[in-house]
Amino acid sequence: DSGVTQTPKHLITATGQRVTLRCSPRSGDLSVYWYQQSLDQGLQFLIQYYNGEERAKGNILERFSAQQFPDLHSELNLSSLELGDSALYFCASSVTESSTDTQYFGPGTRLTVL
Amino acid sequence: DAKTTQPPSMDCAEGRAANLPCNHSTISGNEYVYWYRQIHSQGPQYIIHGLKNNETNEMASLIITEDRKSSTLILPHATLRDTAVYYCIVRVKEGGGNKLTFGTGTQLKVEL
C-alpha cells in the first residue's frame, strides 16, 4: 500500500459524458501527478500539481482538466468522453516537486467508455 | 530524459536471482536511474534508484556500471509474486520537469 488513494476503482460511462476522478496523496506529500495508461500508448504523464498550482503538463487533451485543492487532494476531470479515453488513470504523489523525489502511485481508476 | 533500452521479456525460476538489464548509453552526469514495476495493471511500484553507486534495499539491488551507461536490477530470490513489468527510467537531477517517462519495460515471468 503506497498511501495514495484513488476513487472510484472502476467507472463505466458513455461517450459524450463527463467524469471526475479523485486522488488523495500520501500524508505530507505536496505534489500530485496524473498518468494515463492505455493499451496502445503505455503509461503517459498528463499533468502535475504542486501545493495547488499547476507545474507541468504532458500530453493532456483540452477536454481534460485537473486541479489540486487546499487539502491537497486532486481531481481529474474528463469531458466529452470518447471511446479512446478508455484507460487506466493513475495518480502519484511526492513530497516536493523536486525531480529526484520518488513518486508513489495509487491503485488507479479504470475508465471504460462505451 | 535519457532513453533506456530493456529486453521485452525474461524468465526466471522461483528462488533464483532475477537480473534485469537496462541500457542507458546517453545518460548524463546528473541523471538518476530509477526502477519501478507494475504487477498486472496495479499502480507502478517504486523499487530503487541510484546515481552512480550501487544501491541495495529490502526489495532489490541496483548495480550501475562505472561508465553509467547501463545498470542491472537484481531481485535476489525471485518469487511468483515478482512476476511483473519492470521499468527502468532515467531522470534528471535538477530541472527537466518531474514527470516519469515510462518505456515498454521488461515483462519478468517467474516460474516454478
Side-chain angles (χ1 to χ4, degrees):
Chain A
D1 184 359
S2 67
V4 178
T5 60
Q6 290 186 248
T7 56
K9 274 185 142 177
H10 301 277
L11 200 46
I12 301 174
T13 188
T15 54
Q17 295 298 305
R18 172 189 168 96
V19 297
T20 297
L21 313 184
R22 182 187 169 106
C23 167
S24 292
R26 295 185 322 155
S27 176
D29 284 1
L30 298 176
S31 205
V32 169
Y33 314 80
W34 287 96
Y35 292 83
Q36 178 193 55
Q37 186 174 32
S38 57
L39 279 173
D40 55 345
Q41 295 285 342
L43 263 163
Q44 292 207 314
F45 168 74
L46 294 178
I47 197 164
Q48 175 199 355
Y49 278 82
Y50 175 73
N51 206 20
E53 295 196 7
E54 182 185 303
R55 278 297 198 247
K57 258 183 170 179
N59 298 323
I60 187 166
L61 300 171
E62 285 191 15
R63 300 183 284 109
F64 295 3
S65 65
Q67 54 184 324
Q68 186 180 28
F69 294 86
D71 67 352
L72 301 176
H73 90 272
S74 178
E75 292 180 357
L76 179 67
N77 300 296
L78 316 176
S79 61
S80 303
L81 285 167
E82 302 174 0
L83 296 177
D85 298 327
S86 295
L88 279 164
Y89 291 85
F90 292 106
C91 167
S93 73
S94 63
V95 176
T96 71
E97 56 178 339
S98 167
S99 58
T100 54
D101 264 359
T102 298
Q103 293 182 29
Y104 294 91
F105 284 76
T109 293
R110 182 178 292 277
L111 174 66
T112 303
V113 182
L114 302 174
Chain B
D1 292 348
K3 183 180 169 63
T4 61
T5 304
Q6 299 178 253
S9 64
M10 292 183 66
D11 294 332
C12 179
E14 190 176 36
R16 305 297 292 268
N19 297 286
L20 293 96
C22 179
N23 185 292
H24 31 79
S25 58
T26 59
I27 194 170
S28 300
N30 64 345
E31 291 179 317
Y32 281 76
V33 179
Y34 273 76
W35 283 83
Y36 280 78
R37 73 181 182 183
Q38 187 175 25
I39 298 171
H40 191 251
S41 298
Q42 295 179 20
Q45 178 187 23
Y46 165 76
I47 302 173
I48 198 167
H49 73 280
L51 184 62
K52 49 186 170 183
N53 298 319
N54 298 337
E55 302 288 343
T56 295
N57 62 21
E58 64 278 3
M59 285 184 71
S61 294
L62 174 60
I63 308 297
I64 303 174
T65 57
E66 197 167 334
D67 63 7
R68 302 209 325 119
K69 294 186 176 185
S70 65
S71 61
T72 300
L73 177 74
I74 301 172
L75 307 178
H77 305 287
T79 71
L80 298 178
R81 287 179 295 180
D82 292 321
T83 293
V85 178
Y86 287 76
Y87 296 98
C88 168
I89 299 166
V90 174
R91 299 175 70 191
V92 295
K93 186 178 180 183
E94 292 297 340
N98 199 6
K99 66 179 182 180
L100 291 171
T101 301
F102 288 84
T104 52
T106 295
Q107 171 68 63
L108 174 69
K109 187 175 180 183
V110 181
E111 299 171 306
L112 291 170

